[in-house]
Amino acid sequence: MAASAATGVKMVAARPCISASQGMLTSRAMISRIETAARFASCPKIFCFRPLSSKRTGFVVRAISGESAPQGLPIDLRGKRAFIAGVADDNGYGWAIAKALAAAGAEILVGTWVPALNIFETSLRRGKFDESRKLPDGSLMDIVKVYPLDAVYDSPEDVPEDVKSNKRYAGSSNWTVKEVAESVKNDFGSIDILVHSLANGPEVTKPLLETSRRGYLAAISASSYSYVSLLQHFLPIMNPGGASISLTYIAAERAIPGYGGGMSSAKAALESDTRVLAFEAGRKGKIRVNTISAGPLGSRAAKAIGFIEKMIEYSYVNAPLQKELLADEVGNTAAFLVSPLASAITGSTVYVDNGLNTMGLAVDSPTITS
């Protein structure tokens, strides 16, 4: 990837390695000649020297950084375009992921739930999110375009009449998954990164035993099949070597009382689908597919569960890392997963929860503390 290579470590075509006896006298001159020929003053240089031994047994490789070389291993997404589905405010994981990708140089497109579109765009326009848009270099994240999106519906034919006539959808068009993918193709041609950051369970506060079939299937449709649909429709316009990620939760693997309405089943389906989609998208389009199992965050959407504050407190008390989980930490992990640095990672569930997933015992349990 050209953009990534521009800031990465360069393997410079150096002259043949000189002998140890000559090296003491000519190494400075040789380095000067190589640097002049290479013309990579802003990138680390790799040079070879023979070891101080009479036997010609191999090479010693040393990385010599120029004064203006960037420090560390950079995540470079310059020249990449990302579509993040499920951004409707500035305090969720979707927003944090968008910021991290923007900070790495990616162009940002977002899909916003139709009923929330007007408020979101108005807030952006009036500068309400300006403080949240600040990137590490002091600039503001630029959202190139906001698309209306309802990922519950694949195509216009799937939209029921009561939704079409709903005043919350008035004034918006082309918001089904198929139409949004076509709009992005018409506007930009292609994308490199697809992010699924949306979920909904209308009966999330109900125990599973009290969940209706309709509520259960609605949770599956909005929270897991929506990812299948998005990847199905966006894959044809994704550049080979691209990546896609979604967000899951530990309830996919562990019983979380109170996280009901079929949402735990939806997250389990999402993780299973991640593995299957990784194979299919990898073979069909050379696209990597991963999911991030994030710890609890007090976002506006999460408050629908009803006890998110208690979940956050439980995590803080019982996780191996006893600290607040920041949305930016999930965003940074997402940036890594969609970057060339993670080029061999696909089909994985990556935990970003301060290690809570590793615990089999609540250390604040009265049984333990007594």
Side-chain angles (χ1 to χ4, degrees):
M1 188 180 78
S4 177
T7 59
V9 174
K10 300 287 186 179
M11 295 299 292
V12 179
R15 298 177 184 271
C17 298
I18 60 176
S19 66
S21 59
Q22 293 173 315
M24 299 296 291
L25 298 176
T26 62
S27 60
R28 288 189 178 182
M30 183 187 72
I31 291 174
S32 177
R33 289 197 302 272
I34 295 174
E35 288 185 327
T36 301
R39 297 181 185 276
F40 286 128
S42 62
C43 303
K45 312 295 191 300
I46 303 294
F47 301 111
C48 286
F49 299 90
R50 287 203 180 279
L52 297 176
S53 170
S54 59
K55 297 181 179 180
R56 298 185 177 184
T57 56
F59 297 95
V60 175
V61 179
R62 297 175 182 171
I64 302 177
S65 298
E67 292 182 0
S68 60
Q71 297 300 310
L73 191 62
I75 293 178
D76 190 349
L77 298 177
R78 288 176 295 177
K80 304 300 181 182
R81 183 177 297 115
F83 182 87
I84 300 102
V87 179
D89 55 42
D90 65 340
N91 68 350
Y93 284 137
W95 179 272
I97 291 172
K99 278 187 65 177
L101 301 188
E107 185 178 69
I108 304 300
L109 314 175
V110 303
T112 300
W113 188 45
V114 184
L117 180 67
N118 184 52
I119 294 176
F120 180 67
E121 289 190 314
T122 300
S123 297
L124 273 176
R125 188 167 55 252
R126 292 180 177 177
K128 182 179 178 180
F129 298 148
D130 282 0
E131 186 64 30
S132 299
R133 289 170 60 200
K134 285 186 179 179
L135 300 177
D137 65 358
S139 65
L140 298 183
M141 172 177 65
D142 180 28
I143 298 178
V144 178
K145 188 164 184 177
V146 180
Y147 291 87
L149 170 67
D150 193 330
V152 168
Y153 305 106
D154 300 325
S155 64
E157 295 75 28
D158 300 326
V159 184
E161 287 300 324
D162 64 320
V163 174
K164 291 180 180 178
S165 60
N166 192 309
K167 64 180 182 180
R168 297 195 299 172
Y169 287 76
S172 295
S173 60
N174 301 322
W175 42 260
T176 64
V177 176
K178 179 181 179 181
E179 291 173 304
V180 173
E182 291 174 346
S183 296
V184 172
K185 179 181 180 180
N186 292 335
D187 293 340
F188 298 97
S190 65
I191 65 170
D192 303 278
I193 299 162
L194 176 66
V195 179
H196 176 276
S197 177
L198 48 87
N200 183 49
E203 298 181 18
V204 66
T205 59
K206 291 184 179 180
L208 189 58
L209 280 174
E210 298 176 16
T211 300
S212 69
R213 181 184 297 271
R214 183 176 182 178
Y216 184 94
L217 295 178
I220 294 287
S221 174
S223 309
S224 56
Y225 184 77
S226 57
Y227 187 39
V228 177
S229 180
L230 279 167
L231 196 51
Q232 180 184 113
H233 289 89
F234 275 87
L235 186 62
I237 65 169
M238 292 187 72
N239 295 317
S244 180
I245 55 173
S246 63
L247 290 168
T248 183
Y249 180 51
I250 192 63
E253 306 171 41
R254 306 282 190 271
I256 306 293
Y259 191 73
M263 280 304 300
S264 57
S265 307
K267 292 302 185 182
L270 183 65
E271 292 186 13
S272 177
D273 291 343
T274 294
R275 294 184 285 273
V276 178
L277 292 171
F279 172 78
E280 295 183 358
R283 292 299 181 92
K284 188 174 182 179
K286 297 182 180 179
I287 302 299
R288 295 181 296 104
V289 181
N290 294 291
T291 189
I292 296 174
S293 184
L297 178 74
S299 65
R300 187 173 293 111
K303 291 178 180 177
I305 299 172
F307 62 103
I308 186 64
E309 290 81 7
K310 292 182 179 179
M311 295 170 70
I312 293 173
E313 176 64 18
Y314 178 88
S315 176
Y316 181 86
V317 173
N318 292 287
L321 297 179
Q322 216 170 359
K323 68 178 185 63
E324 178 186 3
L325 177 66
L326 303 177
D328 288 349
E329 293 173 307
V330 172
N332 293 339
T333 302
F336 161 71
L337 285 174
V338 302
S339 77
L341 297 181
S343 59
I345 301 175
T346 192
S348 297
T349 297
V350 179
Y351 299 93
V352 185
D353 61 357
N354 287 329
L356 186 64
N357 71 92
T358 65
M359 299 299 295
L361 185 68
V363 296
D364 66 341
S365 169
T367 305
I368 301 301
T369 56
S370 62

